[in-house]
């Protein structure tokens, strides 16, 4: 499978890229700055320039020929910075449009737990949730993409357990490595298409959890 | 007609409120801070607290019993401030939801010229355009409201001429007073429902221009 990773230089994006490469998938890591290439070159992962502030048409050219896109970019939830609006929302929507232009149907978007319920948005990163909310909604209602929206809880740098809980009721945390595993497993499990999947660490192996959705 | 003005203390909102009152319409000016009431009290215009950072359910309570809402709020296009996302986009969408909760069908939204075409967004206030774009799109595709989206060109403090051009091709400027007149005239012209109307100063009297849409 040929997969393009948007936001590849982020903490989740690096793990997704590495895991895809380890699995033997063809992966291209979308990066914003040339100096971000080094990390990927060391691991023999191809890179391509991908500017989330660019135009959907340019993105479409870059995404041409891929089987799937995994969107892991994030401005990091800093407040007081319109990058939340321009990257987390507008950058995500333009990426969807780019995928559509390129004819790439499969689109996995990393969002945030409870993004769809504003009553549960934490005040401190409310702009980040708002951006995720509108991006998610665009993907659900304004595209024909075969989407999967992943909603991880609080992200940790643990190694992960490859076991998750997808009911989303209690909240909790999850290792970025497990979020990456879920993103990749989703590509191989058609049952995840058109689904929004809360992810916290749990007791169910990822593949089993995705089958039961 | 009983009209609620959101963002009433803004430059366009004040003019809309004053003109509605002058026309003999029942108007309530939605304001964020108590000290903003003085301007309206001097002119015998009622005010109500309306917090764009609040919840749709609260907005619905405030909007109950009105015939129409005119949304004129704007964070002013400052960059580096997530209020663009939280007010111009999320505040607008919550206001739409509040109107729906209250059963107010008629919703006039003041947007910006060419908000629907990202290729024409000025770089300096790109976040503002992005916020307007997603708010406009929500109003068009995610609500059942009888909406009118007004897209004024560069806003001036002139008195206005009550004459406009609605083709939107060339760009240009328009007096805030004329934007206010168009917002109010729209309420009385059913032909404006489900329309997006570019507005720059021109040669056609407002009512005639709206009839010809």
């Amino acid at each position: 499978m040929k997969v393009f990773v948007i936001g590849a230089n982020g903490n989740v994006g690096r793990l997704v890229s590495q895991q895809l490469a380890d699995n033997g998938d063809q992966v291209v890591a979308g990066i914003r700055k040339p100096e971000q290439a080094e990390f990927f070159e060391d691991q023999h992962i191809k890179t391509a320039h991908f500017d989330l502030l660019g135009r959907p048409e340019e993105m479409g050219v870059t995404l041409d020929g891929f089987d799937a896109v995994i969107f892991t970019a994030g401005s990091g939830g800093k407040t007081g910075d319109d990058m939340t609006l321009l990257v987390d929302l507008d950058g995500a929507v333009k990426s969807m449009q780019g995928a559509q232009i390129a004819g790439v149907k499969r689109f996995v978007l990393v969002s945030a737990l409870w993004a769809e319920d504003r009553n549960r948005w934490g005040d401190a990163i409310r702009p980040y949730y708002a951006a995720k909310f509108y991006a998610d909604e665009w993907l659900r209602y304004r595209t024909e993409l075969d989407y999967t929206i992943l909603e991880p809880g609080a992200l940790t740098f643990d190694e992960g357990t490859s076991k998750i809980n997808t009911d989303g009721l209690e909240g909790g945390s999850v290792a970025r490595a497990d979020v990456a595993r879920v993103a990749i497993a989703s590509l191989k499990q058609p049952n995840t298409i058109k689904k929004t999947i809360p992810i916290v660490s749990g007791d169910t192996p990822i593949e089993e959890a995705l089958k039961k959705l």
Side-chain angles (χ1 to χ4, degrees), chain A residues 54-148:
Chain A
R55 293 167 55 178
E57 294 77 11
E58 298 161 354
M59 297 177 178
V61 171
T62 309
L63 297 177
D64 187 53
F66 285 85
D67 299 309
V69 168
I70 300 179
F71 184 98
T72 69
S75 67
K78 276 180 299 173
T79 54
D81 179 348
D82 282 319
M83 287 301 118
T84 309
L85 173 54
L86 294 180
V87 171
D88 297 308
L89 171 52
D90 200 39
V93 169
K94 289 184 293 184
S95 299
M96 298 167 204
Q97 294 171 331
Q100 291 178 296
I101 291 167
V104 181
K105 282 286 281 181
R106 194 71 177 95
F107 198 101
V108 176
L109 177 69
V110 179
S111 180
L113 190 62
W114 301 327
E116 75 282 9
D117 180 3
R118 65 171 65 255
N119 294 321
R120 303 184 89 160
W121 296 355
D123 262 346
I125 54 167
R126 193 169 164 186
Y128 179 73
Y129 278 109
K132 286 297 187 190
F133 171 73
Y134 290 102
D136 295 354
E137 289 285 280
W138 192 280
L139 187 51
R140 287 186 192 107
Y141 295 103
R142 302 297 307 280
T143 76
E144 301 291 323
L145 294 169
D146 286 340
Y147 71 81
T148 301

Side-chain angles (χ1 to χ4, degrees), chain A residues 190-203:
Chain A
N191 185 42
T192 61
I193 290 174
K194 312 263 184 197
K195 299 258 169 74
T196 298
I197 309 174
I199 314 171
V200 296
S201 62
D203 298 322

Side-chain angles (χ1 to χ4, degrees), chain A residues 28-42:
Chain A
V28 175
I31 57 174
R32 187 166 44 101
K33 300 177 189 164
E35 59 267 33
Q36 294 172 341
E38 194 180 332
F39 173 85
F40 299 97
E41 282 163 3
D42 287 348

